[in-house]
Amino acid sequence: MNVPLAYDAKTKQLSLPKEAERVVPLVKLEVDQLNTLVQELIANGSDVPPPPTPENFNKDMSKMIKKLYEGGVQAFKQGKYEESAKQFNIGVAMIARRTKFESFQGTLQELGLFLMSRADAYLKTKNYLGAFNDADMLIGMMMVTPDNFLRRGVANYLLGNYEDARADYQRGLSFDPDNQRLTTELEIVLDKILEENGDYL
Amino acid sequence: MASEYTYDDEGETWPFFVLAVLSFILIPLTISWGLRIYRQDNPLSINKDIKGAILENETTLELENTIEINKFQKKQKSSAKYFNKTFFAIVIGWALCLYIAKYQTVETQLIGAFDPYTILDISAFSSEKEVKSRYRKLSLKFHPDKLPKDLTDAAKEEMEANFIQINLAYKALTDEVTRNNFLRYGHPDGPQEIKHGIAIPKIFVEGKYSSLMIVVYFLLIGGVLPFIVGSWWNNVKTHTKRGLHIDTAALFARKLADKSPTKVITPYELLDWVCQSQEIVSMTSHLPLNPQIVVKHLISRHLFRDFELTQDETKYEREKLAIVAQLPKLIDGLIEIASIFRFTDVVLAASDLRKCVVQGVPPIGKYQEILQLPYVDPKVVSQQEVKKLGKLFTLNKEEQKKALGISDDAKLETALSIAKSIPMIRVLDAAFVVPGENNEAEGGLPSGSVPPSAQAHISIKFLIKSPYHKSCPEIDDEDLKDEETIEYMRDPVTTTNESQPLLPYTYAPYFPSNFRNNWFGYLISQRDNKLVEGSSVATLENVSLANLALTKEQFIKGEGLTISTFKIALTTPTPGAEGNYTFRLVLKNNGYFGCDVDIPITMTVEQPKVPAGKILTKKVRKIMEIQGDADEEDDDTDYSGSDISDPEEDSLAGALAALRGGSVKSSAKGEEEEEEDDEGDNESIFTDINTDTEDES
């Protein structure tokens, strides 16, 4: 299939026809990514962006993000889970707005923190799919802590995917065999699987 | 023109030449034809001989699709099975062979073949004395002077010839010169004249037909030969070893290489990939409009068992079956490529998709186990609670009817009997084993432990059970041990796996072709959730299904119970360093839902307590120390670099405190692992050292 791409010399942006965006979402994504990179490259001012180091990491942004994070935790503590999830959401969006040439190490750390907290908030607000996505993202980013498996496992359990939940708990336990929380959750889900099978031991 | 060659004008040799060439072609052709008939034999009749097999198919169940499937299979079979081109070629070829052998061959005298022992009719090991006495006896019988007078001339001549032969043979065995001649040239008279001949009559070479012969040769060498070699090579070039089109393999490889690690792979996405394959595209290029959309529509009709046809769709019913029949092969190809990439998620999703295609069940929702049964009403099933076959058997008849949406008693009976015969696995024990090492009484390792750098395999002990069976019988530990015979010690994996009967053909009435049931075993490393190299080859094909016939009570009591064993060979040796290595073992059935196995399995590497291993232990310890130090350093530096303060909160803190330390740690780990990925993660300690030293510098 051929799709005409338009280039605007003034803004230096590529664009897709409206109807094509719907048919080929992957191309749309790639065009958007390209546009973002070009935009940030221009905004950067110099020919080549500076090498990403912890020193030139945008500290102002870090402060704002930290504030959002603390706000989210505060709301969570007070039991305002909806509010807390919203705060974390804004934080994630803000992290996404960091320039792409910055040290990704730092961005990843911040993002990990937010995703973990947001997954917890989602679990509390019964947005299990959102919690699953966040936990899955964390594990996909190789943040393989027992807690992340607990998050994805609980999300899976609440979504009714008992077999997946069991696999998650078991993988979590392989990193920390003595984790009490995982062990109890695993037992719960194993019982649930037996019950669903109409079986008993 | 005087010829140096003798031609075969009498037809002495050319028939033999033709016979040789013909048999060269005919014998392999006949064998392959025979094998095809043998293999395509009716699966139901084969299943009848296998205990616990399901003896139903679309015809016996009288399903909606019976006519179309039978038509499809008939087309595949009868035309392609017995009376195809190969068949006619074989018949004509053998007829030609018979004709030539019977009428065209002239019996030639094998003058050259001279064997004194045969002529004298004695054993090759006879002593000289025996030779002499035998010769004397024969010469008395054949001597021209001693012949009876009333013989005809012809008979006389024959007798005389015999006498000469006997004389020669005798000489060959006794006289020095003749004996030497016999030994060196194979004939007592010395070297025989060597003739060069051409195995065709003269007219073809020097007569008026010589031009014809040239044309034949030209066609053969210039036309037929290049064509055969060319088409063979073309096939080699366009298809992989497993019969996957090269473009399809490239497409799958590209899709997998481009796969985003943050995206969840769904069966539908994989189906999309498969539909873009060269096989499907070339099969469906004649379809109107957008073939891709038509193909997806047809497949979806198959997956949802939709047989309410519009006029247009009837036309494509055969195409649907042809496409569906192709899918498992393509999915298997995808699984194979994905297992080279070691993508667990793709392999598992593809296995599920394969089952969906085979059973005609949608890949979404949680009701596949129930939906794979015949006669069920999908609308009713998805509205109720029962999702598993096991649960179904805890209900009474009325509830079962309600759950399945079946109102007819006989139909319910059939559906339940099929459900009962779906073989489930209950794992009793699964461990890494090195034969001969786990004898604790004699100073060996405790069971479940393996020595470092050894050739281990996974041994799974399990019961085949029906969903109808509940709980698990008491099994004596002794029953779970393998008898360590000599054959077992030599090759534990094949010896054990092949000691059981082959699994029957899969019950799959909605799927147009037949295949045997089996389980594929995958070993996944828990550390990075990737397939361990070389584990995808494990196939469980031989299992006794005798347990399915047991009643509930017999099963719980363990009466007449068969314990099965499956062994998976590991291609890489166990890690060199002591410690625990965690894996996840998944067995995926290729046809039925609900009989997969997914268990964690730990490999404990331990040094056996024998003096010979001591030196190695030290070395390993030292390596482990270096490794440990490096890890700690890594953590420290990263920790101080993070500038986010500790949260004070309690409920969240439980998670957050851990995640802070954890996230820092794991991001460092993540990097390490990415670097190691290429080298395979079977925990080679040496790769660990390399990465660590790099970090330190």
Side-chain angles (χ1 to χ4, degrees):
Chain A
M1 192 159 76
N2 293 322
V3 176
L5 282 178
Y7 177 66
D8 185 349
K10 213 181 255 172
T11 57
K12 299 197 166 52
Q13 299 278 295
L14 285 171
S15 63
L16 273 175
K18 274 274 175 293
E19 55 270 29
E21 284 178 9
R22 212 170 26 82
V23 188
V24 279
L26 278 179
V27 178
K28 161 84 175 138
L29 181 72
E30 272 179 34
V31 166
D32 286 349
Q33 286 171 339
L34 207 59
N35 283 340
T36 314
L37 279 179
V38 168
Q39 205 174 9
E40 285 178 10
L41 200 60
I42 296 166
N44 176 56
S46 55
D47 289 345
V48 181
T53 57
E55 283 74 47
N56 62 18
F57 197 59
N58 192 335
K59 294 275 171 14
D60 294 340
M61 224 161 178
S62 299
K63 267 181 207 150
M64 269 155 59
I65 290 168
K66 198 177 151 194
K67 208 175 255 170
L68 275 170
Y69 179 67
E70 279 164 0
V73 172
Q74 196 72 25
F76 193 94
K77 193 161 65 176
Q78 290 163 1
K80 294 184 216 154
Y81 303 120
E82 295 281 353
E83 173 66 24
S84 149
K86 207 185 261 169
Q87 289 274 333
F88 291 133
N89 246 336
I90 300 167
V92 170
M94 183 157 312
I95 291 170
R97 275 207 301 280
R98 274 188 184 279
T99 46
K100 302 296 170 284
F101 305 111
E102 271 188 271
S103 164
F104 193 57
Q105 186 73 48
T107 316
L108 212 59
Q109 268 181 34
E110 282 179 349
L111 186 64
L113 215 52
F114 267 90
L115 287 179
M116 284 186 256
S117 315
R118 190 169 73 172
D120 290 342
Y122 278 159
L123 280 179
K124 286 281 184 197
T125 53
K126 300 207 164 108
N127 180 357
Y128 303 130
L129 202 59
F132 171 85
N133 279 336
D134 283 351
D136 191 62
M137 179 83 174
L138 283 166
I139 291 166
M141 287 175 355
M142 299 305 290
M143 298 196 178
V144 281
T145 59
D147 285 303
N148 286 339
F149 287 109
L150 183 65
R151 288 191 179 96
R152 196 170 76 174
V154 169
N156 263 326
Y157 178 81
L158 293 169
L159 286 167
N161 304 326
Y162 303 124
E163 289 288 332
D164 294 341
R166 180 190 48 76
D168 281 337
Y169 296 145
Q170 281 169 343
R171 195 170 165 215
L173 279 172
S174 79
F175 290 94
D176 177 13
D178 304 320
N179 192 311
Q180 210 50 53
R181 187 76 202 279
L182 279 172
T183 320
T184 26
E185 290 293 340
L186 179 62
E187 265 165 35
I188 293 171
V189 80
L190 285 177
D191 286 344
K192 191 80 192 170
I193 289 171
L194 273 180
E195 187 202 316
E196 209 185 28
N197 271 318
D199 208 344
Y200 53 90
L201 273 180
Chain B
M1 192 168 76
S3 169
E4 314 154 37
Y5 301 104
T6 52
Y7 289 101
D8 190 21
D9 284 329
E10 269 97 59
E12 263 178 20
T13 29
W14 72 262
F16 294 101
F17 175 72
V18 173
L19 275 182
V21 171
L22 269 180
S23 57
F24 236 114
I25 303 166
L26 281 176
I27 290 173
L29 210 63
T30 316
I31 290 175
S32 74
W33 183 75
L35 274 183
R36 203 161 53 204
I37 287 184
Y38 176 73
R39 286 205 186 122
Q40 278 198 352
D41 215 352
N42 184 9
L44 267 197
S45 61
I46 292 177
N47 276 6
K48 259 182 200 139
D49 298 334
I50 301 173
K51 238 183 172 179
I54 299 176
L55 300 176
E56 303 279 0
N57 65 9
E58 62 285 343
T59 320
T60 58
L61 293 175
E62 294 170 354
L63 296 178
E64 312 90 314
N65 60 340
T66 310
I67 300 167
E68 278 300 327
I69 286 201
N70 281 345
K71 251 196 237 163
F72 180 83
Q73 285 180 343
K74 232 183 212 161
K75 212 176 130 215
Q76 293 268 300
K77 274 187 188 166
S78 61
S79 61
K81 194 179 169 188
Y82 303 113
F83 305 109
N84 48 9
K85 277 184 207 155
T86 325
F87 175 74
F88 287 112
I90 288 170
V91 168
I92 292 169
W94 283 119
L96 208 65
C97 265
L98 269 183
Y99 172 75
I100 290 171
K102 188 121 194 180
Y103 301 107
Q104 292 296 309
T105 47
V106 180
E107 266 197 53
T108 45
Q109 297 202 326
L110 299 169
I111 313 162
F114 174 84
D115 183 6
Y117 297 106
T118 329
I119 294 167
L120 291 180
D121 194 21
I122 46 169
S123 125
F125 306 104
S126 318
S127 68
E128 211 173 312
K129 213 173 164 187
E130 280 171 319
V131 174
K132 269 182 187 160
S133 78
R134 179 75 191 160
Y135 166 66
R136 233 169 256 141
K137 245 187 219 163
L138 285 174
S139 59
L140 276 178
K141 192 172 159 197
F142 290 106
H143 197 282
D145 298 345
K146 301 271 160 95
L147 290 178
K149 297 273 179 327
D150 53 346
L151 273 178
T152 57
D153 279 355
K156 239 181 206 169
E157 255 173 47
E158 201 191 318
M159 289 296 212
E160 267 165 32
N162 269 342
F163 183 68
I164 294 167
Q165 286 284 316
I166 289 162
N167 259 329
L168 265 179
Y170 175 64
K171 266 190 189 165
L173 294 179
T174 50
D175 184 78
E176 194 68 21
V177 180
T178 336
R179 195 182 161 78
N180 270 343
N181 272 342
F182 173 60
L183 286 178
R184 280 173 72 183
Y185 305 110
H187 198 277
D189 289 343
Q192 298 286 297
E193 193 190 343
I194 298 168
K195 279 189 221 163
H196 293 279
I198 294 172
I200 37 176
K202 194 171 178 174
I203 43 161
F204 282 127
V205 183
E206 286 170 16
K208 53 183 174 177
Y209 294 111
S210 65
S211 51
L212 190 81
M213 209 58 204
I214 289 172
V215 170
V216 168
Y217 269 118
F218 180 78
L219 282 181
L220 206 67
I221 292 167
V224 177
L225 205 66
F227 175 75
I228 292 173
V229 174
S231 57
W232 167 77
W233 175 241
N234 206 28
N235 197 33
V236 168
K237 232 173 41 183
T238 52
H239 288 82
T240 64
K241 235 188 265 169
R242 295 294 168 93
L244 206 62
H245 194 280
I246 204 98
D247 289 346
T248 311
L251 172 87
F252 290 164
R254 206 167 50 239
K255 292 274 185 199
L256 288 168
D258 290 348
K259 190 178 89 77
S260 158
T262 54
K263 207 172 165 209
V264 179
I265 290 286
T266 61
Y268 269 119
E269 181 157 6
L270 297 180
L271 192 59
D272 249 17
W273 297 1
V274 171
C275 286
Q276 290 169 34
S277 70
Q278 189 56 41
E279 279 89 344
I280 300 289
V281 168
S282 64
M283 251 169 90
T284 56
S285 50
H286 64 282
L287 294 178
L289 301 166
N290 189 338
Q292 280 287 306
I293 292 172
V294 180
V295 167
K296 271 177 211 161
H297 174 69
L298 290 176
I299 293 176
S300 133
R301 282 171 41 77
H302 169 73
L303 294 178
F304 285 89
R305 297 187 184 178
D306 181 3
F307 295 103
E308 280 163 29
L309 301 168
T310 63
Q311 196 67 43
D312 254 10
E313 284 165 340
T314 328
K315 257 196 326 208
Y316 298 128
E317 206 53 7
R318 189 168 300 159
E319 249 111 16
K320 183 185 97 179
L321 288 177
I323 293 167
V324 165
Q326 281 285 318
L327 290 180
K329 194 188 98 187
L330 294 170
I331 296 172
D332 284 346
L334 174 62
I335 290 178
E336 206 186 341
I337 295 172
S339 61
I340 295 168
F341 279 86
R342 299 167 52 216
F343 286 152
T344 306
D345 47 351
V346 178
V347 168
L348 298 186
S351 310
D352 285 335
L353 177 64
R354 191 185 194 284
K355 282 194 258 189
C356 290
V357 169
V358 164
Q359 292 294 351
V361 165
I364 42 165
K366 300 191 176 83
Y367 290 94
Q368 282 102 341
E369 252 183 63
I370 302 289
L371 289 177
Q372 65 185 329
L373 300 177
Y375 309 130
V376 291
D377 186 341
K379 280 188 204 100
V380 177
V381 168
S382 55
Q383 295 300 319
Q384 47 86 48
E385 286 293 305
V386 180
K387 295 180 183 120
K388 305 279 172 188
L389 293 176
K391 188 87 181 175
L392 194 65
F393 285 108
T394 59
L395 307 176
N396 66 36
K397 213 169 171 187
E398 283 311 308
E399 286 171 323
Q400 283 172 342
K401 274 186 185 173
K402 235 185 198 169
L404 298 180
I406 300 175
S407 46
D408 187 306
D409 274 334
K411 281 185 174 179
L412 180 74
E413 226 27 70
T414 320
L416 288 180
S417 83
I418 284 169
K420 244 183 224 179
S421 304
I422 289 179
M424 307 270 172
I425 286 182
R426 163 139 294 164
V427 177
L428 301 168
D429 186 30
F432 288 89
V433 175
V434 176
E437 290 285 351
N438 296 89
N439 202 335
E440 220 174 345
E442 287 167 34
L445 293 167
S447 65
S449 296
V450 290
S453 311
Q455 196 57 55
H457 66 261
I458 301 174
S459 170
I460 308 155
K461 295 275 175 188
F462 61 92
L463 295 175
I464 287 288
K465 58 170 262 201
S466 152
Y468 168 74
H469 295 138
K470 297 294 163 206
S471 189
C472 183
E474 295 279 329
I475 305 285
D476 196 6
D477 270 356
E478 281 306 307
D479 292 340
L480 298 182
K481 282 195 181 130
D482 289 308
E483 198 189 338
E484 297 193 331
T485 60
I486 295 171
E487 274 117 57
Y488 173 81
M489 295 300 275
R490 199 184 301 135
D491 185 2
V493 176
T494 19
T495 319
T496 318
N497 286 353
E498 287 175 4
S499 65
Q500 296 166 75
L502 215 56
L503 279 165
Y505 278 89
T506 311
Y507 152 82
Y510 290 91
F511 187 68
S513 39
N514 302 304
F515 60 93
R516 283 212 179 241
N517 196 221
N518 63 27
W519 274 271
F520 290 109
Y522 303 103
L523 189 64
I524 298 154
S525 164
Q526 292 280 38
R527 205 163 125 255
D528 57 3
N529 199 28
K530 286 193 167 182
L531 293 177
V532 173
E533 264 162 286
S535 62
S536 63
V537 281
T539 321
L540 172 56
E541 296 172 303
N542 302 49
V543 191
S544 157
L545 297 180
N547 288 355
L548 293 181
L550 300 178
T551 63
K552 258 185 200 176
E553 292 73 30
Q554 280 174 325
F555 182 78
I556 292 183
K557 281 184 196 146
E559 282 169 23
L561 207 61
T562 316
I563 299 173
S564 310
T565 314
F566 176 43
K567 293 194 181 254
I568 301 177
L570 297 182
T571 46
T572 43
T574 55
E578 289 189 24
N580 286 331
Y581 298 86
T582 47
F583 298 94
R584 172 182 175 197
L585 179 72
V586 179
L587 297 182
K588 281 269 175 193
N589 193 283
N590 70 346
Y592 304 129
F593 283 95
C595 27
D596 296 344
V597 170
D598 182 349
I599 46 168
I601 175 169
T602 308
M603 181 200 275
T604 310
V605 179
E606 225 178 300
Q607 207 53 244
K609 299 166 196 77
V610 272
K614 265 186 183 164
I615 310 157
L616 194 70
T617 324
K618 255 188 196 164
K619 221 174 171 179
V620 170
R621 289 256 165 76
K622 209 171 162 192
I623 288 164
M624 278 168 66
E625 269 166 29
I626 298 169
Q627 205 182 328
D629 287 348
D631 274 349
E632 273 166 35
E633 267 180 48
D634 272 5
D635 290 352
D636 284 346
T637 45
D638 274 42
Y639 218 108
S640 55
S642 92
D643 54 1
I644 297 163
S645 63
D646 291 327
E648 301 106 356
E649 220 285 293
D650 259 357
S651 67
L652 203 58
L656 294 186
L659 59 84
R660 218 183 78 78
S663 79
V664 174
K665 224 191 221 165
S666 53
S667 59
K669 245 187 212 158
E671 259 188 11
E672 244 177 65
E673 269 164 7
E674 265 165 46
E675 280 172 12
E676 280 173 26
D677 273 353
D678 292 342
E679 277 145 311
D681 78 317
N682 226 359
E683 286 85 27
S684 153
I685 40 169
F686 300 106
T687 48
D688 274 354
I689 293 171
N690 283 343
T691 38
D692 286 342
T693 43
E694 270 167 42
D695 283 353
E696 274 166 344
S697 67

